[in-house]
Amino acid sequence: MADEDMRELLYKVLVVGDSGVGKTSLIKRYVHGVASDKYKATIGVDFALKVLQVNENTTVRLQLWDIAGQERFGSMTRVYYKEAVGAFVVFDVTRLDTFKAVKTWKEDIDAKVFLPDGSKIPVVLMANKCDLAVEGFRTQEEMQEYCANMGFVSWFETSAKLNKNIEEAVNCLVQNILEKEPDSPHSDGDVLDIKDTNPKDREKTDGGCC
């Protein structure tokens, strides 16, 4: 295959949500394959890199920006959001206040970052710590309706501890990003077979996340 047929794409993806919802743990589990129950608040922003093979001629370098929860009350998010092409909003299913904050985070993203054509970036909602889920939180139908009303492309119940639905959530977002690429071959909505290109090198990836 000619070199010009190969595509390597760099995507900046935001990971936002209130403090303590598990953003850094989700990133650590996804990028490094490790689970940690130790909590240390992110200060400002950290990032991690993950390389994905979308197909035989398309590689995606996914740059995950882990933005501190307290930034919702600050003025730096516009700087952090610049040039992002997708985002995750994370909340903790055991803390109702973090779910109420989802609306603020989503509206902040919608107001501050746009794709080159002026449209909103795709955003996936993560209902995290589902291994600790409180019974009666919200039904599947209620969550589907909520996400449709808020403009999320999808939502997933996730758990860094159980490694549940993290890869599925990322693949969903990457597919939505690819579909918005100019002249994208994936605009027909087919499910992509996305693979980690270097699973054995996870520990070598310097994510800078605490």
Side-chain angles (χ1 to χ4, degrees):
M1 182 177 293
D3 290 343
E4 57 266 23
D5 293 333
M6 303 296 292
R7 292 201 308 165
E8 185 168 304
L9 306 169
L10 177 63
Y11 289 150
K12 175 180 176 179
V13 171
L14 310 173
V15 184
V16 304
D18 276 10
S19 297
V21 297
K23 301 184 298 295
T24 302
S25 294
L26 287 169
I27 292 172
K28 271 191 168 184
R29 170 63 94 167
Y30 179 65
V31 175
H32 302 293
V34 297
S36 174
D37 56 3
K38 295 180 180 179
Y39 175 70
K40 182 180 178 182
T42 300
I43 305 300
V45 62
D46 288 321
F47 67 91
L49 184 69
K50 180 79 166 181
V51 181
L52 303 173
Q53 193 68 41
V54 176
N55 54 41
E56 62 181 4
N57 66 331
T58 304
T59 300
V60 169
R61 301 179 72 83
L62 201 64
Q63 195 178 69
L64 298 164
W65 284 57
D66 179 6
I67 297 174
Q70 61 267 29
E71 292 298 339
R72 178 164 63 99
F73 307 103
S75 59
M76 289 298 293
T77 53
R78 189 179 297 276
V79 177
Y80 297 148
Y81 291 176
K82 188 177 181 182
E83 298 181 350
V85 295
F88 295 101
V89 176
V90 185
F91 73 95
D92 178 345
V93 297
T94 70
R95 294 164 53 203
L96 182 59
D97 60 315
T98 68
F99 178 67
K100 291 179 178 178
V102 166
K103 182 175 184 290
T104 302
W105 282 107
K106 179 63 164 60
E107 290 176 347
D108 194 46
I109 291 170
D110 289 346
K112 293 177 180 176
V113 59
F114 303 92
L115 296 174
D117 64 1
S119 62
K120 298 175 182 178
I121 66 172
V123 184
V124 167
L125 179 62
M126 286 182 161
N128 196 36
K129 303 186 184 181
C130 65
D131 54 295
L132 303 174
V134 178
E135 188 175 346
F137 172 71
R138 281 211 171 190
T139 66
Q140 295 280 329
E141 293 76 14
E142 287 173 332
M143 286 299 296
Q144 293 284 12
E145 182 179 359
Y146 175 82
C147 288
N149 291 338
M150 290 295 299
F152 288 100
V153 298
S154 189
W155 76 283
F156 294 84
E157 292 182 312
T158 59
S159 168
K161 180 179 180 180
L162 301 180
N163 196 20
K164 180 178 179 180
N165 285 337
I166 304 172
E167 185 174 352
E168 289 81 356
V170 175
N171 289 353
C172 173
L173 183 63
V174 170
Q175 178 166 343
N176 274 273
I177 294 171
L178 284 166
E179 288 172 0
K180 292 180 177 292
E181 279 282 317
D183 305 317
S184 171
H186 310 293
S187 57
D188 54 5
D190 288 344
V191 175
L192 306 178
D193 184 18
I194 301 173
K195 296 180 176 64
D196 180 2
T197 62
N198 56 344
K200 293 182 180 179
D201 294 335
R202 284 174 175 169
E203 294 301 321
K204 299 179 183 179
T205 303
D206 183 11
C209 291
C210 57

